Amino acid sequence: MGAIKLLSTLGEQSFELTDARTLVVGRAVTSDVPIYDPTVSRRHAELSLTPRGVHVVDLGSSNGTYINGTKMKDGIAVDGDVVTFGKVPFKVVAETPPARQAMPSQAARGFAVSAPEPTIVRQVPVSGPRDLDERVAARPSGASQLRVEGLSVNERQAQKLELLLEISKELSKQQDVDLLLEKVVDITFKVMSVDRVSILMLEGGSGELVPRVSRNRLDESGGTRVPRSIARRAVEERVAILTDNAAADDRFKGRSIVTQSVRSAMCTPLMGSDGHVLGILYVDNMTATNSFSDEDLEFLIAFSGIAAVAIENGRLTERVRREAVVLSNFQRYFAPDLAQQIAGQAEEIQLGGTKRPVVIFFSDIRGFTTLSEHMNPDEIASLLTEYFTEMVEVVFEHGGTLDKFMGDAIMALWGAPITHGDDADRAMRCAIEQQHVLEALNQKWEGEGRHRMQIGIGITFGEVFAGNIGSDRRLEYTVIGDAVNTASRLCSKAGGGQILISEPFYRALTTPPEVEPLEPLQLKGKTRAVPVYRLKR
């Protein structure tokens, strides 16, 4: 099979695939196809050429690999497809196949061909959105309290359908549930001649009907209490109710009927898409009996159905927005797949925390203050961004939690908030790989005429307080305790390229590397010096 090229749709980058070898795409400088974008993992995907097309294999990347927008682990991309690594898209372009001999046309074979003339079958004018007030009549007509015009049944039916369509458009503009309920009440007063409107919503936990919006046309400052007997029947039996004379109606004998001066009333449940009741929409008139008709009830049922859909959409939007806030908070500290898992359990994650054994990891650039004296601010920012991006990716790849940046230092955790049986080994592998990745970065920087860097790493294991500190809108997951101070001190004592570990951490390793003991470290607040080991290179 001939060569296939992948061309970046965002820039100048492109590369060619042949039958010769498999290419590794990633952000690491050692990748066959390096893509320096923060959404691309260090080893993101493998590409190879097959008779069917480009074989794409995701290597467990943080942000996924996609073919034509569909996330995949293993797939084939052909000519014209778009393969996206993280958020960096490439178009697959194959060699142009030889042109096939076209069949002669009828005209070429001597036949006269006349093109069919276009025919317009029908034209229907389509009007743009209209203000709801334009759809509403000045006053009700006939026995109905509905403000629509029309002399015949068909005319009124058409007017009602147009009115419901405009209502649907109006409600779809509002995503905030509280404001949406207010708008439902506003529209009810606008399209129906009623004295009072109330919306009650069912509480998920208690199953109680809770008033959310209640308004009285005759007294803007006061609402109304919905008669419990009417509300209860509408919810329990899932029926829409019309009563011509509530005080004399044998179905509703509650005291609130009398105290609220209810004459004529309608009540309909707000039905969710899965058949459960969200709440009720209630209207009444205090001044006249027999004021509502069957037409009014049918319209109220249709209106409440539209309102229920809008309420569900608003709730979904609010839930997505809350999850996005939680996810954005946790993505700062955890690998994307772990952040997604935690965000899905957001309701279980509370402020506060517990004591638990955790691996504490510190890495710090050696001599960065001196190094930065010879660099301008833009160069410092660029260097640190590239360095932090690589180092944090290594932490995430080994299942660690980013706690914080402190100047040019990184603090990471293993064992919180998710615990693994090999947390100590994961942290050890992370420390070793960070040193290897930094060496690859140094080679790249030297080729660009930039300075080399070295880091020191300190790791310990101990019991700390671990939990969420902050508010519901911004959570800071962190750890507090003596082990944090120990790890920080170990890091400060580590020279460039060195990894120092404490004795508790060494004992927690299931496969400890070769180490050499150092002089015990005297720490502030401890009566005895702390045994320290240095990893042999």
Side-chain angles (χ1 to χ4, degrees), residues 380-457:
I380 295 173
S382 175
L383 188 71
L384 282 179
T385 298
E386 191 169 356
Y387 164 76
F388 281 139
T389 299
E390 291 290 338
M391 295 300 111
V392 170
E393 188 70 26
V394 174
V395 171
F396 287 168
E397 286 180 356
H398 290 86
T401 298
L402 174 65
D403 187 284
K404 61 175 68 71
F405 297 118
M406 295 172 290
D408 58 325
I410 295 173
M411 177 180 170
L413 317 170
W414 277 261
I418 305 295
T419 302
H420 305 93
D422 61 343
D423 279 323
D425 298 287
R426 290 169 181 248
M428 189 76 263
R429 291 194 294 269
C430 174
I432 295 171
E433 187 174 352
Q434 278 197 353
Q435 296 286 11
H436 291 161
V437 169
L438 181 60
E439 182 56 35
L441 278 174
N442 278 327
Q443 292 177 13
K444 173 177 176 288
W445 289 336
E446 279 186 326
E448 297 171 351
R450 295 199 281 180
H451 298 281
R452 293 178 62 89
M453 289 196 310
Q454 286 189 313
I455 59 173
I457 297 175

Side-chain angles (χ1 to χ4, degrees), residues 16-24 30-33 47-49:
E16 187 174 280
L17 278 170
T18 64
D19 297 322
R21 57 188 293 243
T22 298
L23 300 183
V24 175
T30 54
S31 299
D32 298 311
V33 182
L47 304 180
S48 58
L49 197 57

Side-chain angles (χ1 to χ4, degrees), residues 329-330 332-334 342 349-362 401-406 410-418 462-471 474-485:
N329 281 328
F330 283 111
R332 298 173 57 221
Y333 309 107
F334 310 116
I342 295 173
I349 299 174
Q350 306 296 330
L351 297 179
T354 58
K355 283 191 174 182
R356 61 195 301 171
V358 171
V359 174
I360 313 294
F361 175 108
F362 276 85
T401 298
L402 174 65
D403 187 284
K404 61 175 68 71
F405 297 118
M406 295 172 290
I410 295 173
M411 177 180 170
L413 317 170
W414 277 261
I418 305 295
E463 188 175 69
V464 296
F465 167 87
N468 298 299
I469 305 297
S471 69
R474 185 174 182 84
L475 300 176
E476 298 286 340
Y477 192 88
T478 190
V479 294
I480 302 171
D482 182 61
V484 179
N485 300 327

